[in-house]
Amino acid sequence: MSETPVEHELSVQPSSQPESGRGLQPPPLFQLPLTTQEPSVPRQPAQFQLDVQLSNLEHQHQAKPVWINHRRLLFLLFGFSLCCAILGLVYYMHYNRQHSNIQTGKATPCLSSACQWASAHLSISPDPFTQPCDYFLSTCGSDILSPDNVGRQMGPGIPGHPQNHKEKAVWTERRGQSKEREDRGLRKEKIPDRKTALLQYLREILESNDRPGSTAVQKAKRFYHSCLDTKSMDTAGAEPFLALIHKLGGWAVSGQWNRTDFNSTLSLLMRDYATFPFFNLYVGKDPNEIARGTTKRYIQIDQPDLLIPIEWNSKTLKSEAKTQTLRPFLASCESYLALLGAPPGSSMIHVGTFTSLSSELAAAAAPLHYRQSKGQLYQRMTIRELQNRAPAIDWLGCLQAAFHPLPLVEDDLVLLHNSPYIVRMSLIIGKWLNRHELSNSGPVHTYMVLYLLHTLMPALGSRFSETAKNLSVALGNNEGVSRHRQSLLYFEMTPVSWCVKSRGPLHQVADRWKHCVLETERGFDLVLSHLVSKRTAHSEAEEIIQNIFSSFKSKLHELKWTDQKSLRFVMKKVQSLIPRLWTTKEISSEAELDLLFSKVTVGTNSFFSNYVQLLSLWQKRRIKLLTEKAEAADILSLTPFLLGDELLFPMGMFIPPLFHPTYPRAMNYGVMGFLIAKDILHLVLPDIYSQSEMVQAVGECVWAHYLTVTDKAGRGGALCLSAAQQQEVWVQYSALQIALQAYHQSLKNHPSDTSISGLSHTRLFLTSFSQVHCVSDPYSEVMPLEPSFLITAICAKSDLCPTSLQCPNTTQLHSLQTC
């Protein structure tokens, strides 16, 4: 009986110990007195339990130090996991904040000077999201739509249009609001078109007060400022030109003429004054060789810029001078001779012979379309063959003078653009040179002198320009004869009408500074190209070019093609293109510019002598173009073009206010991205239009949106679009989609973007696009609706626009389908 309590104690006590005491204190059994009993007695079960407990305790004591070591490792693992969790939480919060910013439009405001200008402009410009009704009605700015000047008419039935008399009251109220914005300076802040923006940018460069810089830069700026000094030109009058005539041997009009040789005088005019009275000279490639990748350029000879006004008779297929136009022409000739000091009694005979010779030469000329139909463009022959056809001109001597010091020989090839004119011109000159009764009056020499006067007219005083203006008004052109800048590259890329006059008097450009910028670029194009290249944000421009082109290729895959073969055909052509920024590679330093222009002397108050040197520079540029294989960057180029497998984007596209590296990307993509995409689509439009039905479908869909929103569809105002109109609607709508897709992709790759006026990213993109939708382009005449309306079609897909774009006076947009 005495063993029972012991057994009970052994079985209960271990379980009664607190959990925390295990392993820290010895169990109570170790405190019991030892006995001397034999192991065979009934106490054996208790002994076995004791042995088990002792064995367990022994194992616990052995495991204790190992656990402590593992506990340190666990602490390290726990700390590392905690740090990872904290970093993950920070990243998650940062990503959510960025994602939220993208969705809500919250972004860091752009505070650069360019962005401040843009913000001020946006604050006074119509907003398509806050003023949708006015925005639907705008036609390139509210100042153009007025009862007296309705701009491009959009057709009957547009709500609020001045032609709709029922809504005249609404128009009057809105016109009053426009007047308020106008009073705050809206007109002054209007974003200019691409050409004006580029000229303003060049003007800023020429008028900047930067450090002195290179001597070539200083010469370009002095030339520009001397061009602006019209007072000095008026003071000089005709004296500079009379001195030049004396240098050329005089003329019969003044009574002092040393009877210079005809071909010698012609060579001097071509070499030193870039003047071509009887034919024009250009440099360019043969389009028949371009497809084979040939880079060779040729001297190209064409009919001259005609001085006398003529008309083309489609029945007789001849050019004719009308009596009603000859009278003011004769009057202007008399005025020019009077300004040059001709005796009143003797001027009539010179005017008469000049007019008669001009008429005969003009009658031999023909317009471009006729010459194209007769295959008279790019006719190839050697200089020797040309000499045999038109012997009155010393072709080899004249061409050697014009392209000195190039070693031209009789076997060199030239390209003719009107061989019948060249032959007829030679006969006319030979006849007039052999008229002995007129030998004392020198009619051919007088013709060359007056043609030189036409070349140098921009450098003479206001009395000469007023005479030209009077002739222009008499011919029915109240704004003056259009002056066209002749780009050598343009002549090389496109057959143009050679009948259009290239140079003109001072009054023919509305703003004198524009005229002077253009003239400065003619002679100092390399200087301006270098300066623009230094200011151009090359990396930003390249980035937007590549992104827009990538989005453009994606757009092609989304189109519905007639078959897979058509898609492969277009994609093969597109994939072969290499888009890049077209920059100048000719000049790498200002020291090279200084050396190139070292022989040019530019005064500050003698624009005539400066202009004469400009003509020499212009002729040297023509010589250089004949020898070089690479294309010289044209600073005044405004649209991309294809050159072999390269898609070149001129630097002149990427200038403020249309593009700036500090602008938010939303603004750059909404403006320049759209323009780039539109230009690309126009380049490849023939292939797409012929291989895809989407052009017509999308054009009709957007047009249906327009009819619905402007409430014309329900009033019988629906009109069918022509093929050209469908194409242009598709081009501009697709360009906007391409630019928006490219911008969203850029946000995925680089989530951060600044903002202006607190506008969300997409809203800033579309609002920026709305500010330049009226940028002039050659396709504006076939666009049946204002490009600004494309925002309405884009926003028909609700998740693309930050707010609803609805006008309460029109059909709700939720009924429209996405195009």
Side-chain angles (χ1 to χ4, degrees):
M1 295 295 296
S2 63
E3 292 88 354
T4 304
V6 177
E7 181 180 355
H8 179 72
E9 188 178 6
L10 289 173
S11 62
V12 175
Q13 284 183 356
S15 61
S16 64
Q17 294 297 323
E19 191 71 22
S20 61
R22 294 185 179 180
L24 297 179
Q25 294 180 353
L29 289 177
F30 283 105
Q31 300 177 7
L32 295 176
L34 295 177
T35 61
T36 58
Q37 293 182 341
E38 296 294 331
S40 59
V41 297
R43 296 181 60 204
Q44 185 177 359
Q47 183 63 40
F48 175 77
Q49 291 184 14
L50 179 61
D51 291 340
V52 172
Q53 292 287 343
L54 291 174
S55 177
N56 289 339
L57 289 173
E58 182 179 356
H59 283 291
Q60 291 178 9
H61 282 284
Q62 291 176 354
K64 180 177 179 181
V66 177
W67 181 88
I68 292 175
N69 291 335
H70 281 264
R71 183 178 62 183
R72 294 174 182 173
L73 180 60
L74 289 174
F75 281 149
L76 291 175
L77 291 175
F78 175 76
F80 179 76
S81 300
L82 182 62
C83 291
C84 291
I86 293 174
L87 291 175
L89 181 62
V90 171
Y91 174 80
Y92 176 77
M93 294 176 64
H94 177 70
Y95 174 81
N96 272 356
R97 183 173 63 181
Q98 284 191 334
H99 183 72
S100 176
N101 287 346
I102 294 175
Q103 296 297 326
T104 61
K106 295 179 180 178
T108 303
C110 177
L111 301 178
S112 69
S113 57
C115 288
Q116 291 175 4
W117 179 92
S119 178
H121 175 77
L122 291 177
S123 67
I124 59 176
S125 301
D127 185 349
F129 295 99
T130 60
Q131 300 166 292
C133 295
D134 286 339
Y135 191 69
F136 291 153
L137 304 175
S138 67
T139 305
C140 296
S142 57
D143 57 321
I144 295 180
L145 261 183
S146 67
D148 298 324
N149 183 18
V150 296
R152 186 167 81 244
Q153 196 175 65
M154 303 304 299
I158 301 177
H161 197 284
Q163 66 184 355
N164 191 337
H165 300 290
K166 294 181 181 180
E167 301 182 13
K168 188 172 183 179
V170 177
W171 166 256
T172 302
E173 179 182 355
R174 290 171 181 166
R175 182 59 184 169
Q177 296 173 355
S178 300
K179 187 65 170 67
E180 292 180 6
R181 292 195 298 268
E182 186 178 297
D183 292 339
R184 296 201 308 266
L186 176 58
R187 282 187 176 182
K188 294 181 180 180
E189 295 295 334
K190 184 179 179 180
I191 291 182
D193 58 61
R194 283 200 265 188
K195 179 179 179 180
T196 303
L198 178 57
L199 292 179
Q200 288 177 345
Y201 189 64
L202 296 177
R203 177 189 186 183
E204 176 188 334
I205 292 176
L206 291 170
E207 294 182 354
S208 63
N209 294 322
D210 300 336
R211 61 181 180 84
S214 70
T215 57
V217 173
Q218 295 177 35
K219 290 175 182 178
K221 291 184 176 182
R222 283 201 301 269
F223 180 91
Y224 170 76
H225 286 289
S226 70
C227 177
L228 294 175
D229 187 8
T230 57
K231 184 178 179 180
S232 296
M233 283 187 285
D234 287 338
T235 301
E239 289 303 320
F241 185 74
L242 292 174
L244 181 58
I245 294 176
H246 180 73
K247 181 179 177 181
L248 293 173
W251 64 334
V253 174
S254 64
Q256 297 179 352
W257 178 40
N258 60 9
R259 297 180 181 273
T260 54
D261 176 70
F262 161 71
N263 277 295
S264 297
T265 303
L266 180 61
S267 297
L268 286 175
L269 295 181
M270 295 172 63
R271 185 191 68 188
D272 297 335
Y273 308 105
T275 298
F276 310 96
F278 304 107
F279 51 86
N280 251 330
L281 285 187
Y282 306 106
V283 172
K285 300 175 184 177
D286 185 346
N288 299 318
E289 296 181 348
I290 292 178
R292 300 194 297 268
T294 303
T295 59
K296 181 177 175 58
R297 294 186 177 90
Y298 300 90
I299 297 173
Q300 307 197 25
I301 303 173
D302 197 12
Q303 61 192 38
D305 299 329
L306 302 175
L307 301 183
I308 190 170
I310 59 172
E311 296 181 7
W312 176 252
N313 190 323
S314 58
K315 294 182 179 180
T316 62
L317 299 180
K318 292 183 178 180
S319 297
E320 301 174 352
K322 299 295 183 180
T323 304
Q324 59 269 27
T325 58
L326 282 178
R327 289 174 180 172
F329 178 74
L330 287 169
S332 67
C333 291
E334 291 180 14
S335 298
Y336 288 135
L337 290 180
L339 291 173
L340 294 174
S346 64
S347 62
M348 282 306 299
I349 185 174
H350 298 290
V351 170
T353 55
F354 172 75
T355 303
S356 181
L357 177 55
S358 298
S359 300
E360 288 192 45
L361 293 172
L368 176 64
H369 67 84
Y370 177 79
R371 287 179 284 151
Q372 285 179 322
S373 65
K374 295 297 182 179
Q376 295 175 355
L377 301 181
Y378 301 103
Q379 292 182 337
R380 179 182 301 228
M381 66 180 63
T382 65
I383 298 177
R384 180 184 291 105
E385 292 172 332
L386 178 60
Q387 187 67 55
N388 293 331
R389 292 196 182 189
I393 306 294
D394 178 12
W395 290 103
L396 182 60
C398 288
L399 293 178
Q400 285 177 336
F403 291 93
H404 179 77
L406 297 183
L408 296 179
V409 296
E410 289 184 332
D411 291 329
D412 286 333
L413 292 171
V414 295
L415 301 180
L416 266 64
H417 295 284
N418 191 347
S419 179
Y421 167 83
I422 298 297
V423 173
R424 180 61 182 164
M425 175 267 299
S426 176
L427 294 174
I428 293 172
I429 291 177
K431 181 187 69 173
W432 281 84
L433 287 176
N434 294 324
R435 292 184 65 173
H436 299 291
E437 72 276 13
L438 299 175
S439 58
N440 291 330
S441 61
V444 177
H445 185 79
T446 297
Y447 181 90
M448 290 190 288
V449 170
L450 290 179
Y451 204 98
L452 178 62
L453 174 67
H454 167 72
T455 301
L456 294 170
M457 193 83 73
L460 296 174
S462 59
R463 290 181 296 175
F464 288 90
S465 62
E466 285 299 320
T467 301
K469 181 179 180 180
N470 293 336
L471 173 61
S472 178
V473 173
L475 295 177
N477 186 355
N478 294 327
E479 296 180 358
V481 179
S482 299
R483 292 182 73 251
H484 296 275
R485 172 187 173 271
Q486 287 190 341
S487 166
L488 294 180
L489 177 65
Y490 177 62
F491 288 126
E492 183 173 315
M493 303 298 293
T494 310
V496 298
S497 174
W498 314 112
C499 292
V500 180
K501 289 195 285 186
S502 63
R503 315 304 308 169
L506 306 180
H507 77 277
Q508 293 175 356
V509 176
D511 298 303
R512 178 70 188 181
W513 68 266
K514 290 183 181 180
H515 165 81
C516 293
V517 168
L518 290 171
E519 296 296 358
T520 305
E521 191 275 338
R522 287 185 74 203
F524 297 89
D525 59 307
L526 293 178
V527 176
L528 293 181
S529 296
H530 179 71
L531 294 176
V532 170
S533 180
K534 288 175 58 178
R535 294 188 174 200
T536 301
H538 289 247
S539 59
E540 288 82 357
E542 287 281 7
E543 179 183 353
I544 194 171
I545 289 172
Q546 299 299 329
N547 290 346
I548 292 295
F549 191 71
S550 176
S551 180
F552 159 71
K553 291 190 292 186
S554 299
K555 183 68 175 178
L556 294 182
H557 284 286
E558 299 173 4
L559 298 179
K560 294 181 180 179
W561 298 88
T562 54
D563 51 53
Q564 287 299 313
K565 183 179 179 180
S566 301
L567 174 61
R568 288 194 298 269
F569 170 78
V570 175
M571 289 305 300
K572 181 180 179 180
K573 177 180 179 181
V574 172
Q575 293 289 0
S576 65
L577 298 179
I578 304 173
R580 69 174 179 87
L581 183 67
W582 190 30
T583 58
T584 178
K585 298 179 180 179
E586 299 176 343
I587 302 298
S588 59
S589 67
E590 292 185 348
E592 293 182 55
L593 283 175
D594 293 344
L595 179 62
L596 185 64
F597 291 90
S598 60
K599 295 182 180 180
V600 178
T601 303
V602 179
T604 57
N605 57 359
S606 179
F607 182 60
F608 186 88
S609 61
N610 293 342
Y611 194 79
V612 169
Q613 292 192 76
L614 178 144
L615 296 176
S616 179
L617 291 173
W618 179 249
Q619 186 60 20
K620 290 179 180 178
R621 178 181 177 182
R622 187 170 294 165
I623 298 171
K624 191 174 184 180
L625 188 62
L626 182 61
T627 58
E628 291 189 345
K629 294 183 179 181
E631 301 293 342
D634 185 357
I635 193 63
L636 294 185
S637 297
L638 295 171
T639 56
F641 65 95
L642 293 172
L643 185 63
D645 59 352
E646 289 188 316
L647 178 56
L648 301 178
F649 294 83
M651 291 185 297
M653 296 176 61
F654 301 91
I655 49 93
L658 301 176
F659 179 86
H660 199 275
T662 66
Y663 282 161
R665 280 177 293 153
M667 188 168 184
N668 279 334
Y669 277 85
V671 178
M672 189 51 58
F674 166 77
L675 296 176
I676 292 174
K678 185 171 65 170
D679 291 335
I680 294 175
L681 288 169
H682 276 302
L683 285 173
V684 298
L685 178 61
D687 292 328
I688 297 177
Y689 183 70
S690 62
Q691 305 291 341
S692 176
E693 300 176 356
M694 289 293 289
V695 175
Q696 178 180 355
V698 171
E700 292 178 349
C701 179
V702 174
W703 180 244
H705 279 226
Y706 176 75
L707 295 178
T708 303
V709 171
T710 55
D711 201 25
K712 292 204 306 182
R715 293 188 290 171
L719 301 174
C720 296
L721 297 183
S722 66
Q725 290 173 323
Q726 291 173 355
Q727 290 178 29
E728 191 57 29
V729 171
W730 174 82
V731 164
Q732 300 207 24
Y733 180 65
S734 299
L736 185 58
Q737 288 180 315
I738 289 170
L740 185 58
Q741 177 183 339
Y743 174 61
H744 284 165
Q745 184 61 43
S746 73
L747 275 181
K748 291 181 180 179
N749 299 334
H750 309 284
S752 62
D753 191 15
T754 56
S755 182
I756 291 178
S757 302
L759 298 181
S760 65
H761 295 327
T762 302
R763 181 171 177 178
L764 179 57
F765 172 94
L766 294 173
T767 303
S768 299
F769 160 75
S770 72
Q771 305 305 307
V772 293
H773 68 268
C774 294
V775 171
S776 60
D777 62 62
Y779 303 94
S780 59
E781 293 302 321
V782 297
M783 184 67 174
L785 49 87
E786 290 303 327
S788 59
F789 181 80
L790 298 176
I791 297 179
T792 306
I794 287 286
C795 289
K797 189 175 182 180
S798 58
D799 60 338
L800 288 179
C801 295
T803 60
S804 175
L805 186 59
Q806 297 182 358
C807 178
N809 299 331
T810 63
T811 304
Q812 296 299 304
L813 294 183
H814 62 75
S815 62
L816 299 177
Q817 299 296 322
T818 302
C819 295

